[in-house]
Amino acid sequence: MLDRLELLVIGECVADIVRLPGAADQVHPGGSPANVAYGLAGLGHDATLLTQLGPDGNGRLIRDHLARAGVDVRTDGATAATPSAAVTLDGAGRATYTFEITWTLGPVALDRPPGHVHTGSIAAVTEPGAATVAAAVDSLRTAATVSYDPNVRPELMGDHEAAVRKVERCVALSDVVKASDEDLEWLYPGQEAGRVAERWLATGPAVVLVTRGADGALAVLPEGRVTVDALPVDVVDTVGAGDAFMSGTLHALAAHGLLGEAGRERLHTLDRATMTDVLRHAAASAAVTVSRAGANPPDGAELEAALGRM
C-alpha cells in the first residue's frame, strides 16, 4: 500500500431514517461521500471528509460515528440543519429515498494536500455547494488522482439535460468513475450501460466501473471489459452498498500503488489482472455491507474474510 496516502472525500452527510413495515424508525449515519470516507478509514486509510453538519442531534450522531472510525471531519461552519433522508425498504431490502437537504458548502482550507480526492452524489450537482466542490477538485487534481460516483438521486437532480451535463463534466475531471446500472439508466434511458461506460472512458478516466447489483460489476478499460460476479449473501438491505464498493475499489487501487500523483500514470495503463483483483475487493466490500443493516462497510479483517469466500 502507498505509505500514508492522504485521501480526501468531499460531499454530504445525511441522516438516513430507515422505515420498515411494522417497526419503529431507525436513524443511521449516511450520505454517500460520508459512507466512502467511513469505509476508507475502517480499512486503515487516512481519510478526511470535507462536508456540512448542523449543530443538531443528527449532526452529532454523524460526527461521532465518523470520529469513531478515525475520519477527520472538516466543515465550513454552516449551521443549517443536518440533511436527512427517509429510507423505505421493500421486501427484498431495496431502498428508496425521500430527501430533506440543502448543500451550500463554502471553501475550507486544508492542512495538507491530499494524494487522492473522491466526490460525487448530491454534493457534485446541487448548487450553490456544487460550485465549491468543482473548484476544489479542479485545483487539487494536478497533484492528486480523482474518483467520482454520480449516485443519482432523481428527485434532487433538477432538469435532466442540465444534470447530464454536470455529471459528464465531473466524469471528464476524474481518473476513476463508478456508477450503478440504475444511475446510467436514469441518465441515458434505454442505452446499454457498458456502451455508456465506454463513452465516458473516452473523455478522460482511466477506468469506468458499473455496479449491477446481484449481477456483479463491470469495469471498462481502454483494452476492454472486465467483469466480476457478486458474492452471494443474504441481503438485509442495500443501503450503502455502492459506497462500500467505492471504498473497496479505492482501498485496492491504493494497495496496488495506483493512486496519487506517483500512481496516476500506472493507473491509466491498468491491466486486466490488476483490475480483476480491484473488482474482487470492491464486490466483497459491498457484499459485507448488504448482509447487515445500514451503511456499515467492512473493516480489513471482514474484507479479507469475504474475499476468502469468493
Side-chain angles (χ1 to χ4, degrees):
M1 184 180 295
L2 287 179
D3 186 27
R4 311 315 295 176
L5 181 74
E6 295 286 340
L7 297 163
L8 173 67
V9 181
I10 309 175
E12 74 276 3
C13 294
V14 179
D16 289 336
I17 305 168
V18 179
R19 292 174 176 160
L20 291 165
D25 289 352
Q26 300 177 22
V27 180
H28 296 284
S32 176
N35 293 340
V36 173
Y38 183 92
L40 289 168
L43 291 170
H45 297 275
D46 291 337
T48 297
L49 175 65
L50 177 54
T51 190
Q52 291 184 303
L53 283 169
D56 49 29
N58 286 339
R60 290 189 294 273
L61 172 73
I62 294 171
R63 189 183 289 274
D64 291 346
H65 167 76
L66 293 167
R68 283 194 298 271
V71 178
D72 180 12
V73 179
R74 302 296 181 92
T75 73
D76 63 355
T79 58
T82 300
S84 64
V87 185
T88 303
L89 302 175
D90 66 14
R94 292 184 293 265
T96 57
Y97 297 81
T98 303
F99 292 93
E100 292 186 13
I101 185 168
T102 58
W103 180 246
T104 61
L105 185 72
V108 179
L110 299 171
D111 295 337
R112 51 195 180 274
H116 182 82
V117 181
H118 173 75
T119 192
S121 193
I122 297 164
V125 296
T126 302
E127 301 295 353
T132 301
V133 175
V137 170
D138 195 48
S139 67
L140 294 169
R141 65 190 292 266
T142 56
T145 44
V146 175
S147 56
Y148 170 65
D149 175 6
N151 190 45
V152 169
R153 299 298 182 225
E155 60 268 44
L156 299 176
M157 299 295 284
D159 176 76
H160 185 268
E161 290 186 7
V164 171
R165 288 195 297 270
K166 288 181 179 180
V167 167
E168 290 177 345
R169 283 198 296 270
C170 293
V171 168
L173 291 172
S174 302
D175 300 286
V176 179
V177 177
K178 171 256 165 191
S180 71
D181 50 4
E182 293 177 346
D183 292 337
L184 298 181
E185 177 60 28
W186 186 86
L187 291 164
Y188 309 101
Q191 298 186 36
E192 195 263 325
R195 295 296 184 191
V196 174
E198 289 171 352
R199 196 162 66 242
W200 278 5
L201 187 76
T203 68
V207 58
V208 178
L209 310 172
V210 180
T211 59
R212 303 184 292 189
D215 293 327
L218 164 73
V220 176
L221 303 167
E223 64 179 72
R225 300 184 183 189
V226 179
T227 60
V228 67
D229 293 333
L231 177 64
V233 294
D234 293 327
V235 176
V236 174
D237 70 47
T238 61
V239 176
D243 307 324
F245 186 98
M246 190 76 246
S247 58
T249 295
L250 296 177
H251 172 68
L253 289 172
H256 283 283
L258 298 172
L259 297 183
E261 187 175 14
R264 177 180 278 124
E265 183 175 350
R266 281 176 293 152
L267 177 62
H268 281 259
T269 56
L270 190 60
D271 62 83
R272 297 172 67 90
T274 302
M275 190 67 250
T276 299
D277 183 65
V278 171
L279 280 178
R280 289 181 68 252
H281 280 77
S285 181
V288 173
T289 301
V290 302
S291 71
R292 54 200 188 191
N296 190 3
D299 61 22
E302 291 171 327
L303 179 57
E304 288 302 316
L307 284 166
R309 299 194 299 273
M310 294 190 74

